[in-house]
Amino acid sequence: MTARLGPHLKASALVLPLVLFLALFFVWPIIAMLKQSVSDPVVHNTLSQTSAIAAQWNGKAPVPAALQDALVADIRATTDRQEMGAVVRRLNSAKSGFRTLMRKTRRAIRKTDGPINLGEVDKRWNEVAWWHTIAQASSPYTDRYLLAALDYGRDKHNQIVALPEDASANRTILARTFVISLSVMLSCLAIGLPFAMVIASTSGWLRNVLLAAVLLPLWTSLLVRTTAWFIILQNNGLINSALQALGITDQPIPLIFERTGVIIAMTHVLLPFMVLPIYSVLLSMPGNLMQAASSLGAHPIVAFLKVMLPLSARGIASGSLLVFMSSIGYYITPALIGGPSDQMISSVIAFYATESANWGMAGALGLVLLSITLLLYVVYGRLSAEKKGVA
Amino acid sequence: MTEQPYIEFRKVSKVFGSLTVVDHLDLTINKGEFVSLLGPSGSGKTTLLMMLAGFEDPTAGDILLGGSVLNRTPPYKRNMGVVFQNYALFPHLSVAENIAFPLKRRGVAKAEIAERVNRVLEMVQLPDQSEKLPSQLSGGQQQRVALARTLVFEPNVVLMDEPLGALDKNLREQMQYDIRRLHRDLGLTIVFVTHDQSEALTMSDRIAVFNHGKIEQIGTPQDIYDRPNTHFVAEFIGETNLIPVKYREGDHSRCSVTTKTGKDLEVTSPVTLFRGTEVLLSLRPEHIELGDSAEGLENAMPARISDVVYQGDHLRADIEVDGTKLVARLGRHLPPHDPGDEVFIGFRPQNARVILP
Amino acid sequence: MFPTVKKAFGILVMLFLIAPLAAILPLAFTSSALLTYPVPEWSMRWLTELVTEPVWRRSIANSLIIGGGTTVLATTLGTLAALGLRRYSSLFAGVLKTFFLLPMVVPAVVLGVGMQVFFVHVGIANSYLGVIVAHTVIAMPFVYVSVSGSLAGIDPRVELAAASLGASPSTVLRTTTLPLSLSGILSGAVMAFATSLDEVILTLFIAGPHQRTLARQMFSTIRENVSPAIAAAAFVFIVGTILVACLIMLVRMRTGGAMQKSVGPGIS
Ligand SMILES: Nc1ncnc2c1ncn2[C@@H]1O[C@H](COP(=O)(O)OP(=O)(O)OP(=O)(O)O)[C@@H](O)[C@H]1O
Ligand SMILES: [Mg+2]
C-alpha cells in the first residue's frame, strides 16, 4: 500500500505550496474584488437600527414612527464624523439633496437630547421617496455597481432602468474597448498572416532572422516598447519629422494621444502573438501544398484562398483570440499613448480604484472585464485542445 | 547447472487497468546463464524486465533473487544493471562521469573509481573517449558506454532491453559478439530482451518465447528451433510449413501420421496421442529434400514446383503437394528446376514434428 | 510566388518590429533635455542621472530587490509544482495546470484591484513583501511552463537508469533530474525576473512610495515630465534583455539542447 500511496503524497507535498500561495494571493484577491462589487456596508453598519427597521418596512406611506426614531437614534449615536460623512456621500450619490438634508437634520439633532419630529426639521422627511433611498441603501449587498457598470440603475419603484446618457459612459467605454481591440486584432492579422507565411516559406538563417525579429520585441519590456512608440509618435518625433522633411505635410500629424497611435503601438506589441500561432500551424503543413494546388491548375490566389487559408484557419483563430483577449485588458499602452477618448475599460477601473476610491465600481467593472476575458480564454482553450487532438 | 535457481519468478502477474500484460508467469534463471526473452511486440517482455529491475511492482506473485523475495526492494538497492534500448546515458555527464556514477553511489574511493573506469573502458574497447559527452559519440560507442556503466559495478544480473535495436547490421553483429565475450569472460548472468530471433538464437543459453504475457516455450536455441512445441513457437521462430494431418500411431517420440490424401508419414512427436487426433506437422523449408524420383528419399511424395526464386545463397521454391502449398529452401548447386516441373520431395522423420493446433 | 513583393513585405514588417526599439537607443545618449531627433551632441548625461539622481537610483535598487525576491519565490514555487505534477495526466492534474496558468490570463488591472483591497486587509500593502508576492503571482506561470517543458523533455529511462545504478530517489533528483532541467529552471527564473522588472500595473496598485520600481518610475516619468532619462532607462532594459537572452542561449548549449525539447524563450 505504501508503495502506491508514497509517490502521490510526495507529489501533493510538492504541489501544495503553490496551490496555497495562489489560493491566498490570487484567488482571494479576486474574490475580494468581486465582493467589493456587490457590497454596500456603509449605511448598514453605521445606521444599524434604521437598517434593521427599514428591512421590515413595506415601503408604503406613512413612514413608520419607529423608523424615524431609529434614524434619530443612529445619527445621535454616530460621533465619528468620517463615518457619517461616508453615509452622507453614499445617500447623496443615490439621491442628490441628501447632503443638505442630512446636514440640516444633524444640526437639529445635536441641539437637543429629546425626541424630534423629523417632519418639522425638514418637510422632505414627510416624503416617502427619501426613506426609500435609505431603505435601499441599508442592505449590506447591492447590485447598483453591477447595474451601473452596464449603465443601468434602479428608479424610484426599484425597477431596473437604463441610466440617462449623461449619467454614465460605461457602455461607451466597453464599446470603445471592443472597437480598439478589434482594430488591433485585424491589423495584427493583416500584417501577421502574410508575415507568418513569408517566414514559413523561407529556410535556414533567413528564417532564423525573421523569427528573431518576431521574438526580440516579445522579449523586450512592454514599457520600453511603449516608450519607443511614445518617442516616435510625438509631434516632433521621428514619423512627423520624416513626413515634414519629405514635404508630405508641413504641420505635424497628430499621432500621439490619438486612436491611431494607440492602435499602431498595440499592434506592434501584440503582433508576435498573431504570428507565432499561425506560423506553427503553417510549419506542420507540407511545404509543397501550394505547388500541388497550382500544378492542379489553381491560380496562386485561388490556391491561397482554397488551400492555405482553410488549413491555417486554426492558427488564425488562436492568434486572433490571443490578441483580442490580451488587448481587451490593456492598460499601459492606452494610458501612455492614448488621449482621454482612447482609454479602455482597464483605465476606467484603475481610475475608480486608485483615484476616486470607488471600490464598488472598480470591482463591478473588473467583474465585467474578468468575465469577458475568461470566456475568451475558455474558447481559446477549446481551440488549442482540439488542435492537440488532431495532431 | 546449479541446483538452486538464481532468479525465480513465481506465478508473477502484472495487470495495467484491465489489461493483463504478464499472466501467472513462472521462470527460473541460473547463475551465469544468458537467457533471452523473445516475443512479439506487446507480449510483456519489457514489463517482465522492469519488474525484475524493480521499476514496476508485480500485481501478484513473487520474484526471488538468490532465494530471497525481492518484491519490496527498491530498484537502487537491487544491484541489477539495466541497459536500455536507447542507452539512457546521462546527457549532462562525460563518459567517465557516466561510468563513475554507480561507483560514486556505492561510496567507492576516488582513486579506485578512476582505475575501474579505465579498466572497464578498455574492456569495452573505448579508451581515450572518457572526456567526451554522450552526444559526441556514435551510436555504437554510446552502446558500449552504457554497457561499461552497467558492468563497472559488477551487478548481480545484467538486464538488457533490446540493447542493439538501434544499431545497424554490422555494428549489431560486432556488439553481439562482444556481449557474448563479456558474458563468458566475466561469468555474468544476463537477461536479454529482443525482437530479433536470430539474435536470440545466436547469443543465448536459453530462450523464453513470450506470447500474451505467458512463456510459450523455454529451452536451448536448438530446442526452440528444432523442436517447437506449439503452433505459435513454430511460426514465430524461423519459417515453417504447417501441414494438417491426423495422428496415427507411435511410441516415444517416433510416430506416424496420415495426410489428407491418406498417405502415411514417419515423423516425431513430443507426446503420444489418440489415433485420429487432428494435428499439424511442422516442416522447416530447409529440411525439404528434392529428387527426380522417390528413390533415396524418406517420406517421399510426388510434387509440382510452382515457382523458384533466386535468393543469393539459396533458392526458394514454392511447391504444391496434394493441393497443399509448401515452401522449400534449396541449395543453389541443385540442378535447375523450372515452374511446372514434376518432382518428388521427402524429409527425414526427425525433422518433421507434430504440433497441437 | 511574388518574390519581390514578398521580400519587400518581409523587410517592411521587420522594420516595423525592430526599428522602434532601435530608435530609442541613441536617445539615451543625447545631450539635449528633449527626447527628439536629431541628437545635438552625444553625452552620458542621462545615464549618469540614472545612477546619481536619488529617485532613479532608488527605483533601480527597488527593482533589483523586488525582482530578486520574486525570482526566488516564483522559481521555488513553480519548480516544486512542476516536479510534483510531471507524471500526472488525470483530469484533476489538468485542472491544476490550467489553474497555475490562470494568472497569465486574468487582466492585471482586475488582479490589481483585488490585491489592493486584500493586501490592505492583511496588512502587506505598501510593503516589499506585498509587491514581491504580487509579482510572484504573475511571474510564476512562466517558471511553471518553462520547467514542466524541460522536465517533459527528460527521457524517463535516464532516471530509471540512475535508479538501477544505485541512486536513491533523492539522489536521482539531485544528480539527474535537476541538472537536466536546469536550463528550464534558469529560463524560468530569468523570465520571472524580467516579468517583475517590467511590471507596472500591480505595482501601481499596491506599492507605496518606498517601493517605487524602475518600471513604475518610467511610467510616471512618461506621464508627467518626459525626459531622456526614460530613454536611458529603456537602454538599460534592452541591453539587459540582450544579455539575458545570450545567457539563456549559453546555458541551453551547455546543457546539451539536443537531448531536451523546451518550451520557453529563446530562438529555437
Ligand atoms: N505503464 C503502463 N500502463 C499501461 N499499459 C502498459 C504500461 N506499460 C506497458 N503497458 C502495456 O503492456 C503491454 C506489454 O508491454 P511491454 O512493453 O511489456 O511489451 P514488450 O513485449 O516489451 O513489447 P515491445 O517488443 O514492443 O517492446 C503493452 O500492450 C503495453 O501497452
Ligand atoms: Mg519492450
Side-chain angles (χ1 to χ4, degrees), chain A residues 220-236:
Chain A
T220 312
S221 150
L222 167 64
L223 204 59
V224 169
R225 284 184 285 169
T226 307
T227 312
W229 282 107
F230 184 89
I231 293 170
I232 292 168
L233 296 172
Q234 302 172 76
N235 282 348
N236 46 9

Side-chain angles (χ1 to χ4, degrees), chain B residues 28-313:
Chain B
T28 58
I29 296 168
N30 296 317
K31 202 168 175 76
E33 208 180 5
F34 191 127
V35 172
S36 288
L37 310 183
L38 181 63
S41 197
S43 57
K45 309 180 296 285
T46 298
T47 307
L48 192 78
L49 210 62
M50 292 295 117
M51 286 193 289
L52 183 53
F55 298 130
E56 298 277 2
D57 292 331
T59 312
D62 291 326
I63 300 172
L64 289 82
L65 178 74
S68 51
V69 175
L70 269 183
N71 290 20
R72 286 276 166 261
T73 314
Y76 62 96
K77 290 187 183 154
R78 291 196 180 193
N79 209 34
M80 292 189 182
V82 184
V83 179
F84 293 85
Q85 174 169 5
N86 68 337
Y87 322 133
L89 296 176
F90 303 119
H92 59 303
L93 301 181
S94 71
V95 167
E97 287 167 326
N98 260 284
I99 299 174
F101 188 94
L103 300 178
K104 278 192 192 152
R105 303 285 82 76
R106 288 164 174 78
V108 176
K110 259 214 174 103
E112 195 190 334
I113 291 184
E115 199 232 296
R116 280 171 73 173
V117 167
N118 283 333
R119 191 147 31 101
V120 79
L121 274 174
E122 254 162 53
M123 202 184 328
V124 298
Q125 293 157 4
L126 263 189
D128 314 325
Q129 309 283 345
S130 60
E131 294 317 310
K132 288 192 178 164
L133 285 177
S135 54
Q136 294 165 316
L137 300 178
S138 72
Q141 289 174 324
Q142 291 184 31
Q143 173 62 63
R144 283 163 201 275
V145 175
L147 206 55
R149 187 179 66 175
T150 306
L151 297 180
V152 75
F153 69 97
E154 291 161 12
N156 296 331
V157 189
V158 178
L159 312 180
M160 302 191 184
D161 192 357
E162 305 194 25
L164 310 180
L167 303 181
D168 65 40
K169 190 166 171 290
N170 285 337
L171 215 49
R172 222 179 141 96
E173 281 166 3
Q174 172 68 35
M175 285 305 298
Q176 287 175 359
Y177 173 79
D178 287 348
I179 292 174
R180 272 306 290 181
R181 179 174 56 84
L182 289 168
H183 168 243
R184 227 178 320 115
D185 295 353
L186 304 178
L188 298 169
T189 308
I190 296 183
V191 183
F192 189 95
V193 168
T194 180
H195 249 113
D196 179 340
Q197 38 162 311
S198 74
E199 191 167 282
L201 290 169
T202 53
M203 296 182 77
S204 328
D205 295 329
R206 280 196 301 155
I207 298 174
V209 181
F210 268 64
N211 190 26
H212 295 305
K214 291 189 168 157
I215 293 179
E216 289 264 341
Q217 186 174 354
I218 181 163
T220 64
Q222 286 90 338
D223 275 343
I224 298 286
Y225 189 83
D226 292 337
R227 291 177 286 282
N229 282 342
T230 67
H231 185 167
F232 175 81
V233 175
E235 286 223 297
F236 189 74
I237 307 285
E239 198 180 8
T240 196
N241 296 295
L242 291 172
I243 307 161
V245 291
K246 282 202 171 87
Y247 192 87
R248 207 164 73 93
E249 60 181 9
D251 63 294
H252 304 303
S253 66
R254 192 56 67 92
C255 69
S256 67
V257 295
T258 314
T259 66
K260 275 189 300 187
T261 51
K263 183 166 174 44
D264 289 343
L265 300 172
E266 295 294 310
V267 300
T268 53
S269 169
V271 285
T272 310
L273 298 165
F274 291 115
R275 190 187 182 94
T277 309
E278 301 209 351
V279 292
L280 291 170
L281 193 63
S282 165
L283 182 58
R284 300 257 180 220
E286 66 270 27
H287 290 146
I288 296 183
E289 292 161 48
L290 214 62
D292 291 329
S293 65
E295 217 166 296
L297 290 176
E298 290 176 78
N299 292 316
M301 286 182 281
R304 213 171 71 96
I305 294 187
S306 38
D307 197 10
V308 180
V309 182
Y310 177 69
Q311 300 258 318
D313 59 343

Side-chain angles (χ1 to χ4, degrees), chain C residues 32-81:
Chain C
S32 149
L34 295 175
L35 252 182
T36 53
Y37 281 100
V39 173
E41 229 178 297
W42 301 109
S43 117
M44 292 297 284
R45 173 180 171 192
W46 298 107
L47 277 171
T48 317
E49 176 165 327
L50 230 45
V51 284
T52 52
E53 193 71 23
V55 207
W56 285 106
R57 244 167 87 157
R58 181 76 199 253
S59 68
I60 291 175
N62 279 340
S63 274
L64 290 177
I65 296 171
I66 291 166
T70 301
T71 307
V72 171
L73 194 55
T75 308
T76 311
L77 290 172
T79 303
L80 288 183

